[in-house]
């Protein structure tokens, strides 16, 4: 009898999906890694698993202990599911500006959820700094201890993507991958996959797709952290500091992509290919088109399909919200 022993064995080994419209548009084969099929519904399940396993191995995370993390939502969902399955407690600190759907999901899963006002990274009230303080408080008063997951700077994040996501992409393409591109939330996926693919073939092109308001396009092009103009409704990506993980990324190309450019790809994918995905996937697909245009027809490009669109229904698929942001509204949602 074959079966998974627990939910951790359902994480990873996601398929590559041919994205027909953008492939036909560019003359390339553009493939999306279907990370929305992970049990927590996002690529961040891998990050959560990598961090927990590393903390267990080091002895930092004790049986029955608490895991504390600052997150835009998806890592918190992954950590909470795994904490439930493995006998830990999960404390999640999240900006209150994140989607109602992610807040509702975390409450449903039983996370110890702390919502804080949105703040710049330099502000002591930023959700990452708040999570660090809470972890120290819990560690001091709870008998089984507490750890701060530190997904932004914890290299266990990068390592699991190097050892799983990147290796899966190499195998699934039979080593015939010419480029990989994705957006950055913590940098773990981009760093890990870039290291894995370039270890197999240094000629693989690695790209960054940054939403407006992020700083990493400038960082990878010129070494400066100048913030790009505008803002984005996407959640969990577009950062303005160099994390421990992003410092390990091997990047050849970088583009800033606006919501106006990216969202039509998302709506076309739903209407014509039957996939309802979130905003970071829109930025990633737009980035894959940029990389395909840069390399020319005949190449194979891989990107990440991060999570489901229903996690952002109140924003991405809300015509009033989109109109107020002067963003494109798909025909079937038009008022």
């Amino acid at each position: 009898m074959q079966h998974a022993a627990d939910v951790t064995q359902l994480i990873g080994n996601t398929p590559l999906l041919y994205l027909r419209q953008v492939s036909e548009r560019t003359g390339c084969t553009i493939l999306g890694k279907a990370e929305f099929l992970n049990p927590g519904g996002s690529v961040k399940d891998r990050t959560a698993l990598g961090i927990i396993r590393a903390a267990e191995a080091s002895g930092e995370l004790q049986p029955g202990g608490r895991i504390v993390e600052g997150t835009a939502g998806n890592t918190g969902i992954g950590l909470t599911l795994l904490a439930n399955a493995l006998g830990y407690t999960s404390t999640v600190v999240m900006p209150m500006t994140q989607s109602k759907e992610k807040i509702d999901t975390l409450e449903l899963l039983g996370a110890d959820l702390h919502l804080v006002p949105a703040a710049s990274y330099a502000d002591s009230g930023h959700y990452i700094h708040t999570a660090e303080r809470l972890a120290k408080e819990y560690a001091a008063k709870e008998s089984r201890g507490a750890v701060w997951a530190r997904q932004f700077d914890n290299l266990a994040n990068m390592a699991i993507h190097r050892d799983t996501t990147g290796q899966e992409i190499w195998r699934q393409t039979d080593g015939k991958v010419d480029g990989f591109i994705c957006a950055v939330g913590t940098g773990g996926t981009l760093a890990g996959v870039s290291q894995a693919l370039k270890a197999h073939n240094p000629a693989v092109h690695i790209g960054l797709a940054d939403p407006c308001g992020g700083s990493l396009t400038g960082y990878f092009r010129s070494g400066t952290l100048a913030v790009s103009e505008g803002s984005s409704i996407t959640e969990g990506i577009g950062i303005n500091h160099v994390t421990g993980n992003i410092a390990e990324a091997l990047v050849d190309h970088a583009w800033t992509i606006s919501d106006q450019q990216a969202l039509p790809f998302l709506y076309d994918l739903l209407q014509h290919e039957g996939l309802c995905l979130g905003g970071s996937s829109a930025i990633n697909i737009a980035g894959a088109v940029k990389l395909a245009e840069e390399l020319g027809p005949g190449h194979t490009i891989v990107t990440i399909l991060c999570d489901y669109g229903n996690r952002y229904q109140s924003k991405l698929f809300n015509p009033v919200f989109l109109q107020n942001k002067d963003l494109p509204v798909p025909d079937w949602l038009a008022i």
Side-chain angles (χ1 to χ4, degrees):
M1 181 183 298
Q2 293 184 346
H3 62 276
D6 59 38
V7 72
T8 66
Q9 296 182 4
L10 303 179
I11 296 172
N13 294 307
T14 56
L16 287 179
L17 177 66
Y18 178 73
L19 302 180
R20 177 176 50 81
Q21 285 186 297
V22 289
S23 294
E24 292 176 353
R25 168 177 167 167
T26 60
C28 287
T29 297
I30 297 181
L31 305 171
K33 193 90 163 84
E35 291 297 293
F36 55 87
L37 295 178
N38 284 307
S42 88
V43 66
K44 293 296 189 176
D45 284 7
R46 294 192 196 245
T47 296
L49 181 60
I51 288 171
I52 286 175
R53 291 308 192 208
E56 289 172 337
S58 70
E60 185 182 11
L61 181 58
Q62 297 294 317
R66 183 182 295 270
I67 308 160
V68 182
E69 184 57 323
T71 166
N74 280 336
T75 303
I77 290 169
L79 284 170
T80 302
L81 280 177
L82 294 179
N84 290 350
L86 299 174
Y88 303 115
T89 301
S90 172
T91 292
V92 174
V93 183
M94 189 166 72
M96 59 182 60
T97 51
Q98 301 306 287
S99 71
K100 178 181 183 298
E101 292 81 2
K102 283 194 286 194
I103 294 170
D104 289 346
T105 298
L106 283 162
E107 291 177 340
L108 170 68
L109 298 178
D112 170 34
L113 180 61
H114 298 251
L115 297 176
V116 297
S120 71
Y121 184 73
D123 191 312
S124 63
H126 189 274
Y127 67 96
I128 296 175
H129 308 316
T130 303
E132 180 181 13
R133 286 195 299 273
L134 272 177
K136 291 177 180 177
E137 290 174 11
Y138 280 121
K141 68 184 181 182
E142 296 195 352
S143 60
R144 296 180 179 180
V147 299
W148 176 33
R150 292 189 310 115
Q151 62 171 324
F152 289 83
D153 296 307
N154 187 338
L155 296 186
N157 179 357
M158 176 204 70
I160 196 165
H161 286 289
R162 180 194 63 215
D163 297 341
T164 67
T165 319
Q167 304 304 332
E168 290 168 27
I169 290 169
W170 184 258
R171 290 194 303 269
Q172 290 169 324
T173 59
D174 295 322
K176 297 180 175 65
V177 55
D178 300 297
F180 172 82
I181 188 167
C182 70
V184 163
T186 64
T189 305
L190 186 61
V193 173
S194 68
Q195 290 201 4
L197 295 181
K198 282 187 176 287
H200 285 291
N201 178 7
V204 174
H205 292 260
I206 303 296
L208 161 78
D210 213 20
C212 290
S215 299
L216 293 184
T217 297
Y219 172 74
F220 282 113
R221 286 184 175 180
S222 65
T224 62
L225 273 174
V227 177
S228 67
E229 294 183 358
S231 61
S232 174
I233 67 169
T234 57
E235 297 184 11
I237 59 174
I239 59 175
N240 295 308
H241 64 288
V242 178
T243 67
N245 283 285
I246 202 60
E248 302 296 321
L250 307 173
V251 175
D252 304 299
H253 311 274
W255 291 278
T256 296
I257 296 169
S258 70
D259 291 349
Q260 287 84 354
Q261 291 173 297
L263 291 180
F265 289 114
L266 195 71
Y267 300 139
D268 286 347
L269 192 65
L270 174 54
Q271 188 171 19
H272 302 293
E273 299 184 55
L275 276 180
C276 182
L277 301 177
S280 52
S281 296
I283 298 290
N284 286 352
I285 294 168
V289 169
K290 291 277 192 185
L291 184 55
E293 291 170 346
E294 176 79 13
L295 299 183
H299 293 88
T300 297
I301 311 295
V302 177
T303 192
I304 300 292
L305 306 180
C306 305
D307 61 3
Y308 286 107
N310 58 2
R311 201 158 273 185
Y312 311 92
Q313 186 170 350
S314 59
K315 294 183 179 181
L316 283 177
F317 300 95
N318 178 345
V320 174
F321 178 86
L322 294 170
Q323 287 176 350
N324 287 340
K325 296 288 186 178
D326 197 27
L327 292 171
V329 179
D331 292 342
W332 73 87
L333 285 180
I335 298 173

